[in-house]
Amino acid sequence: MRSPKTKNENFFEKVYAVVREIPFGRVTSYGAIASYLGSAQSARVVGWAMNSAPSDKKYVPAHRVANRNGLLTGKNHFGNMNTMKQLLENEGILVENDRIVDFKKYFWDPAEDFFYKNI
DNA sequence: ACTCTGACGAACC
DNA sequence: TGGTTCGCCAGAG
């Protein structure tokens, strides 16, 4: 029995699940998550899912998700403007001018994790 | 019930 | 090179 609604709930749920798997001290992008979930064009929806993340039962480390340029586009959605930056620096990630330094270096791809799990 | 708008990103002028 | 448009889903007015 799958109502049209069930499908959508799963998408949000999947997003949260992926975000929660981001290792400490690593970051990823909205697009990467969307792509991993099979909807490469739904990066925007991932961001929207993050907006509803706090209402999820479990904690979602939304601060580990930035846009594809490593820009902290969602920082305004944290209590304080410095909260997101603070959380990242707390994990050893440098943030300069609202941008993650060496974004590539800290970038974590969900697919990559899948790869290692299956070796 | 319909329209608008987002924490994105890629394709198109 | 840079602004605009579209796709995706859900929530708000």
Side-chain angles (χ1 to χ4, degrees), chain A residues 63-107:
Chain A
H63 63 280
R64 298 194 188 130
V65 188
N67 76 352
R68 70 182 188 90
N69 298 315
L71 205 60
L72 306 188
T73 50
K75 67 167 186 172
N76 298 321
H77 292 263
F78 288 79
N80 240 327
M81 243 169 76
N82 290 331
T83 306
M84 189 171 185
K85 176 182 176 184
Q86 201 60 57
L87 287 169
L88 288 171
E89 293 190 333
N90 191 37
E91 302 191 3
I93 298 173
L94 296 178
V95 176
E96 195 171 293
N97 209 7
D98 293 341
R99 210 196 119 155
I100 295 173
V101 180
D102 288 331
F103 183 58
K104 279 186 187 174
K105 185 178 168 186
Y106 297 109
F107 184 79

Side-chain angles (χ1 to χ4, degrees), chain A residues 28-35 43 46-47 50 62 65-68 71 73-74 84:
Chain A
T28 191
S29 68
Y30 305 97
I33 295 171
S35 180
V46 174
M50 293 284 99
V65 188
N67 76 352
R68 70 182 188 90
L71 205 60
T73 50
M84 189 171 185

Side-chain angles (χ1 to χ4, degrees), chain A residues 1-75:
Chain A
M1 314 272 279
R2 35 187 100 98
S3 62
K5 222 174 186 180
T6 305
K7 175 185 164 196
N8 300 332
E9 287 179 42
N10 286 338
F11 186 82
F12 266 52
E13 197 178 316
K14 283 180 184 175
V15 172
Y16 300 143
V18 174
V19 173
R20 278 196 283 263
E21 282 192 36
I22 302 174
F24 183 93
R26 303 293 294 282
V27 292
T28 191
S29 68
Y30 305 97
I33 295 171
S35 180
Y36 177 66
L37 295 180
S39 304
Q41 296 179 315
S42 304
R44 202 179 191 193
V45 183
V46 174
W48 188 244
M50 293 284 99
N51 204 6
S52 305
S55 58
D56 197 59
K57 297 168 188 174
K58 286 200 139 211
Y59 172 67
V60 179
H63 63 280
R64 298 194 188 130
V65 188
N67 76 352
R68 70 182 188 90
N69 298 315
L71 205 60
L72 306 188
T73 50
K75 67 167 186 172

